[in-house]
Every structure is written in C-alpha cells, then in structure tokens.
Amino acid sequence: MNKSKSYDKFCSTLQRSYKLIELYRRLRKVKFIKEPQKLFHKDLSDLLRAAIVFSVSAMDAYFTNKFSEILVPFIKKKGATEGIIKLLSDAGLDTKQAVAMIGMQRPYRRVRMLIETYFERFTTQKSDIIDQLLLSVGIKNFSKNAQKLTKRTNLVRRIELLVERRHVIVHEGDLNKHGRIKKIEVNKVERQIQEVQLFVENSETLINKKLN
C-alpha cells in the first residue's frame, strides 16, 4: 500500500532527529589538538533534547496533515459526521460561510483550507486527541488498535512519556524541580524515536486500511 504525502513528510522530519543522534555520537569521538581535547556528554546533550523535540513535532504534523488529506475524500464518500460538523464549526464554518460556499466552484477546497488553518493552532500529540480526531471519520479506539498492530502492549504510554519530556524540554529547559538539568542518554533517546516511527508507521497502515 502506497504511503501518503503526510507520511513521507513525517519520515523526512524524523530523519533530522536521527541525524542529531548521529552527530552527537560522532562529536563524542572527536579528539582535538587544543583544549578542550574532547567534548563530553554534558557539552552535547542538547543535541539529544533537540532530537526529541523534532520527533514529537514530526508525529504531531503527521496526524494533522493526514487528517487534512483524508477529510474531503471522506465527506464526498460518506458525508459529514457529527464529529466533522463540530470540527468545521470550531474551524470557523458558520452559517454565513456555508451559504457562501454554495456558490463556490470548489467548495471542498474551502473546507480543506479551513481545516488546515485551524490545525495551525491545534496539536495532536496526545493519544486522546488523536483518537477523538479520527473518531470523527469513523475510526474507533484508534491509538489502541494502532498499538495492536505493533505488537507492543505499552507503546502508546511510552510515547506519551516522550511527549511529556518534550514539554519539559521546550517549556522548562529540561530542568527538574531543583533547577538541575535532567539526565538524558543517547541509546534511550534513539529507542524512543524508533518507537515514534513504529507508531506512526502502523497508524498510516490502519488509517489507509479503514478508509480505502
């Protein structure tokens, strides 16, 4: 089954996370002639934090982009569900807008533009938000079923923990309550990013299977 543009974009962004991890490892091995002769973990650990931020951003963008891709084809095929109507209302599709769209040559294009604009201030980093979004197009218990495809019973929870770490990095500089930088380890970060990739890969499979 062909992958979508949103999935390709996800993979491209995620590669930036992997490249940051690779850069961290390469720089740890470099020996300099002058001081400092070596870069230590503390000197380079922010590369790993940046890798976490990129990976969560990649996942967030995937789900909003994927939903934008599938929305209009779904409406054309099955009509607007109550969930879609509410979402469009939140996006600004009021009665005035709806009446104006009757005379448009490409009203569905307007629908997609409304959703894409709305998603500029909408985040899909938590499983319950993702589940609610995909329920509007008839996919129930999305995160749970995507996790089943991976054969990993705790994958969703592990990704939620990574998202929480991302928030601490972005909003608190990855400091603990004592003002000290939290520990971070390269192999663990790499595994976490691989888990994001696994979840999104199987999400793509599930969405395509349910809607095609």
Side-chain angles (χ1 to χ4, degrees):
M1 186 178 292
N2 293 332
K3 300 297 184 182
S4 62
K5 290 182 179 179
S6 54
Y7 182 76
D8 289 340
K9 184 178 179 181
F10 162 78
C11 292
S12 178
T13 304
L14 201 70
Q15 283 303 312
R16 295 164 72 184
S17 294
Y18 287 126
K19 286 180 179 179
L20 286 169
I21 292 173
E22 180 185 356
L23 179 61
Y24 168 91
R25 288 186 169 130
R26 290 180 66 183
L27 290 175
R28 287 285 283 121
K29 295 177 181 178
V30 172
K31 292 183 179 180
F32 300 95
I33 298 175
K34 297 181 179 180
E35 293 292 335
Q37 292 187 343
K38 185 177 181 180
L39 292 174
F40 294 95
H41 170 75
K42 65 180 181 179
D43 303 313
L44 301 170
S45 62
D46 280 342
L47 290 171
L48 305 179
R49 294 181 179 90
I52 289 175
V53 173
F54 272 120
S55 66
V56 175
S57 296
M59 182 184 71
D60 185 355
Y62 166 76
F63 283 109
T64 52
N65 290 337
K66 182 67 175 180
F67 189 83
S68 296
E69 284 181 5
I70 65 178
L71 178 61
V72 168
F74 180 88
I75 294 174
K76 287 181 177 179
K77 186 176 181 180
K78 297 186 177 181
T81 65
E82 289 186 9
I84 290 175
I85 291 170
K86 183 181 183 307
L87 185 64
L88 289 172
S89 176
D90 292 343
L93 183 61
D94 54 16
T95 303
K96 182 179 179 180
Q97 287 261 19
V99 171
M101 285 171 59
I102 295 174
M104 292 181 180
Q105 291 184 341
R106 302 177 68 180
Y108 288 114
R109 182 179 181 182
R110 177 60 180 165
V111 168
R112 178 160 180 171
M113 287 177 63
L114 277 170
I115 288 297
E116 288 177 346
T117 301
Y118 176 63
F119 280 159
E120 289 177 0
R121 59 183 189 275
F122 187 94
T123 59
T124 47
Q125 298 173 357
K126 294 185 178 181
S127 59
D128 58 338
I129 300 297
I130 295 169
D131 289 351
Q132 182 180 351
L133 191 64
L134 290 167
L135 182 61
S136 69
V137 290
I139 305 178
K140 299 178 180 179
N141 302 315
F142 176 79
S143 295
K144 182 178 179 181
N145 288 324
Q147 179 178 263
K148 282 183 180 178
L149 292 178
T150 70
K151 303 185 185 328
R152 295 278 301 279
T153 58
N154 65 342
L155 185 62
V156 171
R157 180 54 185 157
R158 287 183 61 80
I159 289 175
E160 287 176 346
L161 291 172
L162 183 65
V163 170
E164 290 174 10
R165 183 68 181 270
R166 176 265 178 200
H167 293 340
V168 174
I169 292 169
V170 171
H171 299 295
E172 300 175 27
D174 209 26
L175 301 177
N176 63 23
K177 61 182 179 181
H178 303 294
R180 299 189 184 95
I181 298 177
K182 291 188 173 186
K183 293 181 180 179
I184 194 166
E185 197 271 321
V186 60
N187 292 333
K188 181 178 180 181
V189 171
E190 185 173 43
R191 287 194 301 270
Q192 290 171 320
I193 293 172
Q194 289 169 345
E195 287 168 345
V196 171
Q197 183 174 6
L198 180 64
F199 180 67
V200 173
E201 180 180 355
N202 283 275
S203 295
E204 173 81 355
T205 299
L206 180 59
I207 294 170
N208 291 345
K209 181 180 178 181
K210 291 288 186 180
L211 297 183
N212 291 337

